[in-house]
Amino acid sequence: MIRRFWQSAMIGLARSPSVRHFMQTSRATSGVRSRYIAIGDAAGAVARAQTLWHDAGIRVSLFYLGEYVDDPALVEENVEAKLDAARMLGAAGLDVHVSVDLTQVGHMLDPGLARRHLDALAAAVGEAASGRPGLHVLMLDMEDRSVVDATIALHDELARRGRPVALTLQANLERTADDLERQVRRGSRVRLVKGAFPEPRSGTFPTRAAIKANFRRLIDQMLASEALEQGFYPIIATHDERLIEHAREHAEANGWPVGAYEFEMLLGVRETVARQLVSEGERVRLYMPFGHDWWPYTARRIGETPANAWLLARSLVG
Ligand SMILES: Cc1cc2nc3c(=O)[nH]c(=O)nc-3n(C[C@H](O)[C@H](O)[C@H](O)COP(=O)(O)OP(=O)(O)OC[C@H]3O[C@@H](n4cnc5c(N)ncnc54)[C@H](O)[C@@H]3O)c2cc1C
């Protein structure tokens, strides 16, 4: 109850233009910013990615910040920054792994525009990877329920045309078991998350316990031996150690070799767990956002646990 209230309140603050302006222009907020965001431009994020890879064996997915964008100039800026990120990851010899939200590349202005941008971005990922081994994809993040159908449809269309794409699905939605089943049969690459958007009750799991139980069932679907035979690539994106353990046990029991699946976590959250997993031989990636429009993303992260209230309070009074 408290968690749901906290999450909804933070989503409200994430969407408030005046709070966004204050947070993104005030010097006092740099502490809360640096917790979850790589500071600097694409070059800075790639430099940090190189350090993580060389020092800790951790891969990254780069995400240029910006969401629910209805300004054509900002859409162009988002696309350019993501193209830069893809080229620079390729030039650095790292996985060319770039995450994108449908609403940041023009979906709110014209779905056809978003489609063309996603196609160009996926093509750029393929070119920058130039046949090197690794997981090189344009990863479609998943936003609120109003864009789930559109996101899946675009993913499927690009995949059919041979573009290197991957898809995020949310365990809080009842529909996900069916969506996942279709993706397993296609041999897709799917990132499973709990879901960061409070949704209307119909069609969603009502409690955290129910979402977690569904996450377990979806892990079982992703790491079934039939999924391995289909060439499906599971990405388990959580900081929940019980779910991570469940996935590891299931992977081992069903004969999944290390490197045929991976774990993904967020920059700034439980990085000790990420490092521990790598030291035990698992493939791990960090989702690394960068860019100046950092407040909406950060507010959602703060909203993930009421324990983060202190982080926000400290940054505002200190
Ligand atoms: C790589 C990645 C990509 C994602 N992409 C999407 C997406 O496209 N769409 C979407 O809706 N959601 C996305 N999410 C967010 C996701 O839906 C969850 O909201 C988020 O991961 C928290 O859930 P959890 O599974 O880590 O479990 P939780 O039970 O929330 O967290 C487990 C533990 O991790 C720690 N923790 C988790 N989050 C935080 C935090 N923000 N700050 C401090 N500690 C924390 C806490 O100690 C907590 O007890 C993504 C998450 C990851 C890891």
Side-chain angles (χ1 to χ4, degrees), residues 83-120:
L83 288 171
D84 278 352
R87 288 185 205 113
M88 288 183 200
L89 284 168
L94 300 170
D95 276 9
V96 184
H97 196 301
V98 176
S99 290
V100 61
D101 289 2
L102 191 54
T103 67
Q104 69 177 164
V105 292
H107 183 71
M108 292 166 75
L109 294 168
D110 167 12
L113 176 71
R115 184 167 164 269
R116 290 193 293 282
H117 281 324
L118 288 184
D119 188 42

Side-chain angles (χ1 to χ4, degrees), residues 184 224-232 256:
V184 168
S225 37
E226 299 77 30
L228 180 59
E229 284 156 20
Q230 299 286 342
F232 179 74
W256 285 76

Side-chain angles (χ1 to χ4, degrees), residues 36 141-142 170 194-196 208 238-239 264 301 304 308:
Y36 298 111
D141 293 344
M142 193 58 85
Q170 297 155 321
K194 282 185 183 163
R208 290 187 65 75
T238 180
H239 314 91
E264 192 173 355
R301 298 288 79 85
E304 247 137 27
N308 277 341

Side-chain angles (χ1 to χ4, degrees), residues 248-271:
R248 295 182 77 188
E249 284 165 15
H250 219 73
E252 192 179 356
N254 288 334
W256 285 76
V258 166
Y261 63 96
E262 69 181 44
F263 294 98
E264 192 173 355
M265 299 170 70
L266 301 172
L267 184 74
V269 181
R270 292 200 154 172
E271 277 184 37

